[in-house]
Short mmCIF file of all heavy atoms in Angstrom, two decimals:
data_model
loop_
_atom_site.label_atom_id
_atom_site.label_comp_id
_atom_site.label_asym_id
_atom_site.label_seq_id
_atom_site.Cartn_x
_atom_site.Cartn_y
_atom_site.Cartn_z
N ALA S 108 0.84 -1.19 0.05
CA ALA S 108 0.01 -0.02 -0.02
C ALA S 108 0.92 1.28 0.01
O ALA S 108 0.58 2.27 -0.73
CB ALA S 108 -0.94 0.05 1.20
N GLY S 109 1.91 1.27 0.79
CA GLY S 109 2.82 2.33 0.80
C GLY S 109 3.50 2.58 -0.51
O GLY S 109 3.66 3.68 -1.04
N HIS S 110 3.89 1.43 -1.19
CA HIS S 110 4.47 1.54 -2.58
C HIS S 110 3.48 2.15 -3.54
O HIS S 110 3.90 3.02 -4.37
CB HIS S 110 4.83 0.13 -2.93
CG HIS S 110 5.36 -0.03 -4.32
ND1 HIS S 110 6.60 0.34 -4.66
CD2 HIS S 110 4.81 -0.37 -5.52
CE1 HIS S 110 6.87 0.20 -5.98
NE2 HIS S 110 5.77 -0.30 -6.46
N LEU S 111 2.22 1.79 -3.50
CA LEU S 111 1.21 2.30 -4.32
C LEU S 111 0.99 3.82 -4.09
O LEU S 111 0.90 4.59 -5.04
CB LEU S 111 -0.09 1.50 -4.23
CG LEU S 111 -0.12 0.19 -4.84
CD1 LEU S 111 -1.31 -0.68 -4.32
CD2 LEU S 111 -0.24 0.37 -6.39
N ARG S 112 0.91 4.20 -2.87
CA ARG S 112 0.70 5.66 -2.59
C ARG S 112 1.92 6.46 -3.04
O ARG S 112 1.72 7.61 -3.54
CB ARG S 112 0.49 5.82 -1.09
CG ARG S 112 -0.84 5.22 -0.60
CD ARG S 112 -1.11 5.65 0.80
NE ARG S 112 -2.46 5.15 1.30
CZ ARG S 112 -2.64 3.98 2.02
NH1 ARG S 112 -1.55 3.37 2.44
NH2 ARG S 112 -3.85 3.65 2.37
N ARG S 113 3.06 5.90 -2.94
CA ARG S 113 4.26 6.67 -3.47
C ARG S 113 4.20 6.79 -4.95
O ARG S 113 4.82 7.78 -5.58
CB ARG S 113 5.58 5.88 -3.06
CG ARG S 113 5.92 6.05 -1.57
CD ARG S 113 7.29 5.53 -1.28
NE ARG S 113 7.41 4.20 -1.41
CZ ARG S 113 7.12 3.20 -0.46
NH1 ARG S 113 6.61 3.54 0.68
NH2 ARG S 113 7.34 1.94 -0.79
N HIS S 114 3.47 6.00 -5.71
CA HIS S 114 3.33 6.12 -7.09
C HIS S 114 2.00 6.86 -7.39
O HIS S 114 1.53 6.80 -8.60
CB HIS S 114 3.33 4.76 -7.75
CG HIS S 114 4.73 4.27 -7.86
ND1 HIS S 114 5.53 4.56 -8.88
CD2 HIS S 114 5.42 3.32 -7.06
CE1 HIS S 114 6.69 3.90 -8.79
NE2 HIS S 114 6.67 3.19 -7.64
N GLY S 115 1.46 7.43 -6.39
CA GLY S 115 0.20 8.37 -6.65
C GLY S 115 -1.09 7.64 -6.60
O GLY S 115 -2.14 8.28 -6.97
N ALA S 116 -1.24 6.38 -6.26
CA ALA S 116 -2.44 5.70 -6.23
C ALA S 116 -3.31 6.21 -5.00
O ALA S 116 -2.77 6.47 -3.92
CB ALA S 116 -2.23 4.17 -6.15
N ASP S 117 -4.62 6.17 -5.23
CA ASP S 117 -5.53 6.55 -4.17
C ASP S 117 -6.23 5.25 -3.68
O ASP S 117 -6.94 4.61 -4.56
CB ASP S 117 -6.57 7.53 -4.80
CG ASP S 117 -7.66 7.98 -3.77
OD1 ASP S 117 -7.45 7.61 -2.51
OD2 ASP S 117 -8.61 8.65 -4.20
N LEU S 118 -5.96 4.88 -2.53
CA LEU S 118 -6.57 3.55 -2.05
C LEU S 118 -7.72 3.91 -1.15
O LEU S 118 -7.62 4.56 -0.08
CB LEU S 118 -5.53 2.84 -1.23
CG LEU S 118 -4.13 2.60 -1.89
CD1 LEU S 118 -3.19 1.81 -1.06
CD2 LEU S 118 -4.30 2.01 -3.33
N ARG S 119 -8.87 3.38 -1.54
CA ARG S 119 -10.16 3.57 -0.81
C ARG S 119 -10.73 2.35 -0.31
O ARG S 119 -11.54 1.70 -0.93
CB ARG S 119 -11.13 4.38 -1.76
CG ARG S 119 -10.62 5.66 -2.30
CD ARG S 119 -11.67 6.35 -3.18
NE ARG S 119 -11.13 7.61 -3.77
CZ ARG S 119 -11.84 8.40 -4.52
NH1 ARG S 119 -13.10 8.21 -4.74
NH2 ARG S 119 -11.20 9.50 -5.04
N THR S 120 -10.20 1.93 0.89
CA THR S 120 -10.78 0.75 1.51
C THR S 120 -12.09 1.11 2.26
O THR S 120 -12.34 2.31 2.45
CB THR S 120 -9.71 0.20 2.58
OG1 THR S 120 -9.36 1.26 3.48
CG2 THR S 120 -8.42 -0.30 1.83
N GLY S 121 -12.83 0.12 2.58
CA GLY S 121 -14.08 0.31 3.17
C GLY S 121 -15.08 1.06 2.23
O GLY S 121 -16.09 1.57 2.72
N THR S 122 -14.86 0.87 0.96
CA THR S 122 -15.73 1.48 -0.06
C THR S 122 -16.10 0.46 -1.10
O THR S 122 -15.26 0.08 -1.97
CB THR S 122 -14.94 2.72 -0.73
OG1 THR S 122 -14.50 3.58 0.32
CG2 THR S 122 -15.85 3.52 -1.57
N ALA S 123 -17.41 0.22 -1.10
CA ALA S 123 -17.87 -0.85 -2.13
C ALA S 123 -18.36 -0.10 -3.37
O ALA S 123 -18.90 1.00 -3.32
CB ALA S 123 -19.04 -1.62 -1.52
N VAL S 124 -18.11 -0.67 -4.52
CA VAL S 124 -18.53 -0.14 -5.80
C VAL S 124 -19.92 -0.75 -6.09
O VAL S 124 -20.09 -2.06 -5.96
CB VAL S 124 -17.56 -0.48 -6.92
CG1 VAL S 124 -18.16 -0.29 -8.27
CG2 VAL S 124 -16.27 0.37 -6.75
N GLU S 125 -20.81 0.03 -6.48
CA GLU S 125 -22.22 -0.44 -6.74
C GLU S 125 -22.41 -0.82 -8.18
O GLU S 125 -23.06 -1.81 -8.50
CB GLU S 125 -23.25 0.59 -6.27
CG GLU S 125 -23.13 0.88 -4.78
CD GLU S 125 -23.52 2.32 -4.42
OE1 GLU S 125 -24.43 2.91 -5.15
OE2 GLU S 125 -22.99 2.87 -3.43
N ASN S 126 -22.00 0.07 -9.10
CA ASN S 126 -22.15 -0.26 -10.54
C ASN S 126 -21.16 0.57 -11.32
O ASN S 126 -20.50 1.47 -10.82
CB ASN S 126 -23.60 0.16 -10.98
CG ASN S 126 -23.95 1.56 -10.72
OD1 ASN S 126 -23.41 2.48 -11.36
ND2 ASN S 126 -24.95 1.78 -9.81
N VAL S 127 -21.09 0.19 -12.62
CA VAL S 127 -20.06 0.85 -13.51
C VAL S 127 -21.01 1.07 -14.82
O VAL S 127 -21.59 0.21 -15.38
CB VAL S 127 -18.95 0.00 -13.87
CG1 VAL S 127 -18.03 0.69 -14.94
CG2 VAL S 127 -18.10 -0.36 -12.61
N THR S 128 -20.93 2.34 -15.31
CA THR S 128 -21.69 2.75 -16.43
C THR S 128 -20.87 3.45 -17.54
O THR S 128 -20.10 4.26 -17.18
CB THR S 128 -22.77 3.79 -16.03
OG1 THR S 128 -23.60 3.25 -14.98
CG2 THR S 128 -23.67 4.09 -17.22
N PRO S 129 -20.95 2.86 -18.80
CA PRO S 129 -20.18 3.55 -19.84
C PRO S 129 -20.67 5.02 -20.03
O PRO S 129 -21.92 5.23 -20.04
CB PRO S 129 -20.48 2.70 -21.08
CG PRO S 129 -20.95 1.37 -20.54
CD PRO S 129 -21.64 1.67 -19.27
N ALA S 130 -19.77 5.93 -20.13
CA ALA S 130 -20.09 7.36 -20.25
C ALA S 130 -20.32 7.63 -21.75
O ALA S 130 -19.65 7.08 -22.62
CB ALA S 130 -19.05 8.20 -19.59
N ALA S 131 -21.28 8.54 -22.01
CA ALA S 131 -21.60 8.95 -23.40
C ALA S 131 -20.41 9.43 -24.08
O ALA S 131 -20.21 9.21 -25.35
CB ALA S 131 -22.84 9.89 -23.39
N GLN S 132 -19.60 10.19 -23.39
CA GLN S 132 -18.39 10.81 -24.06
C GLN S 132 -17.18 10.00 -24.03
O GLN S 132 -16.06 10.38 -24.38
CB GLN S 132 -18.14 12.19 -23.35
CG GLN S 132 -17.60 12.05 -21.96
CD GLN S 132 -18.73 11.88 -20.86
OE1 GLN S 132 -19.82 11.50 -21.26
NE2 GLN S 132 -18.45 12.20 -19.65
N GLY S 133 -17.28 8.68 -23.62
CA GLY S 133 -16.17 7.81 -23.47
C GLY S 133 -15.80 7.67 -22.06
O GLY S 133 -16.08 8.45 -21.16
N GLY S 134 -15.10 6.55 -21.75
CA GLY S 134 -14.79 6.27 -20.38
C GLY S 134 -15.96 5.67 -19.52
O GLY S 134 -16.93 5.19 -20.18
N TYR S 135 -15.81 5.77 -18.26
CA TYR S 135 -16.82 5.08 -17.45
C TYR S 135 -17.11 5.86 -16.17
O TYR S 135 -16.25 6.67 -15.73
CB TYR S 135 -16.29 3.65 -17.02
CG TYR S 135 -16.00 2.78 -18.16
CD1 TYR S 135 -14.78 2.78 -18.78
CD2 TYR S 135 -17.05 1.95 -18.63
CE1 TYR S 135 -14.51 1.94 -19.86
CE2 TYR S 135 -16.79 1.13 -19.75
CZ TYR S 135 -15.57 1.15 -20.39
OH TYR S 135 -15.30 0.33 -21.52
N VAL S 136 -18.33 5.69 -15.63
CA VAL S 136 -18.73 6.31 -14.36
C VAL S 136 -18.85 5.22 -13.36
O VAL S 136 -19.63 4.34 -13.48
CB VAL S 136 -20.03 7.11 -14.43
CG1 VAL S 136 -20.46 7.60 -13.12
CG2 VAL S 136 -19.84 8.30 -15.50
N VAL S 137 -18.07 5.27 -12.27
CA VAL S 137 -18.09 4.32 -11.22
C VAL S 137 -18.86 4.86 -10.02
O VAL S 137 -18.60 6.03 -9.52
CB VAL S 137 -16.68 3.90 -10.79
CG1 VAL S 137 -16.70 3.08 -9.54
CG2 VAL S 137 -15.93 3.24 -11.94
N THR S 138 -19.88 4.19 -9.59
CA THR S 138 -20.71 4.60 -8.38
C THR S 138 -20.23 3.84 -7.20
O THR S 138 -20.26 2.58 -7.12
CB THR S 138 -22.15 4.37 -8.66
OG1 THR S 138 -22.60 5.01 -9.82
CG2 THR S 138 -23.05 4.83 -7.42
N ALA S 139 -19.70 4.61 -6.25
CA ALA S 139 -19.16 3.95 -5.02
C ALA S 139 -19.49 4.82 -3.82
O ALA S 139 -19.27 6.07 -3.92
CB ALA S 139 -17.70 3.85 -5.15
N GLY S 140 -20.11 4.21 -2.75
CA GLY S 140 -20.41 5.01 -1.62
C GLY S 140 -21.46 6.14 -1.94
O GLY S 140 -21.45 7.21 -1.30
N GLY S 141 -22.28 5.95 -2.92
CA GLY S 141 -23.36 6.83 -3.28
C GLY S 141 -22.93 8.00 -4.13
O GLY S 141 -23.70 8.81 -4.47
N ALA S 142 -21.62 8.03 -4.49
CA ALA S 142 -21.07 9.13 -5.34
C ALA S 142 -20.63 8.55 -6.74
O ALA S 142 -20.24 7.35 -6.71
CB ALA S 142 -19.98 9.78 -4.68
N GLU S 143 -20.64 9.39 -7.71
CA GLU S 143 -20.27 8.98 -9.02
C GLU S 143 -18.88 9.62 -9.35
O GLU S 143 -18.59 10.76 -9.06
CB GLU S 143 -21.23 9.38 -10.06
CG GLU S 143 -22.57 8.74 -9.86
CD GLU S 143 -23.54 9.18 -11.02
OE1 GLU S 143 -23.33 10.22 -11.68
OE2 GLU S 143 -24.64 8.56 -11.18
N HIS S 144 -18.02 8.76 -9.94
CA HIS S 144 -16.64 9.21 -10.27
C HIS S 144 -16.28 8.80 -11.70
O HIS S 144 -16.48 7.54 -12.01
CB HIS S 144 -15.72 8.51 -9.25
CG HIS S 144 -16.02 8.65 -7.83
ND1 HIS S 144 -15.62 9.80 -7.11
CD2 HIS S 144 -16.68 7.93 -6.93
CE1 HIS S 144 -16.16 9.72 -5.90
NE2 HIS S 144 -16.76 8.46 -5.78
N PRO S 145 -15.79 9.69 -12.48
CA PRO S 145 -15.45 9.32 -13.90
C PRO S 145 -14.01 8.74 -14.04
O PRO S 145 -13.05 9.19 -13.42
CB PRO S 145 -15.53 10.60 -14.64
CG PRO S 145 -15.18 11.66 -13.57
CD PRO S 145 -15.64 11.10 -12.21
N TYR S 146 -13.86 7.75 -14.89
CA TYR S 146 -12.51 7.20 -15.13
C TYR S 146 -12.42 6.82 -16.68
O TYR S 146 -13.44 6.54 -17.34
CB TYR S 146 -12.29 5.91 -14.38
CG TYR S 146 -12.27 6.19 -12.79
CD1 TYR S 146 -13.43 6.02 -12.10
CD2 TYR S 146 -11.17 6.63 -12.23
CE1 TYR S 146 -13.41 6.28 -10.77
CE2 TYR S 146 -11.14 6.86 -10.85
CZ TYR S 146 -12.30 6.77 -10.15
OH TYR S 146 -12.29 6.94 -8.88
N ASP S 147 -11.21 6.80 -17.13
CA ASP S 147 -11.08 6.42 -18.56
C ASP S 147 -11.20 4.95 -18.67
O ASP S 147 -11.71 4.52 -19.77
CB ASP S 147 -9.57 6.84 -19.01
CG ASP S 147 -9.41 8.32 -19.01
OD1 ASP S 147 -10.34 9.05 -19.52
OD2 ASP S 147 -8.37 8.80 -18.57
#
């Protein structure tokens, strides 16, 4: 985990992903903890 953080990774434990939706403009929207987050 320390190695990943040193490389800029964001580790969100205790956070379940509910669904993944393809975005109209490309990429994906991940719903986790009731919030939506865009990713490539």
Side-chain angles (χ1 to χ4, degrees):
H110 177 78
L111 283 166
R112 290 190 178 102
R113 287 191 292 275
H114 284 276
D117 181 7
L118 308 183
R119 302 184 184 183
T120 54
T122 307
V124 166
E125 300 152 28
N126 58 66
V127 178
T128 304
Q132 69 277 19
Y135 300 88
V136 175
V137 172
T138 303
E143 295 182 344
H144 309 274
Y146 298 95
D147 296 315

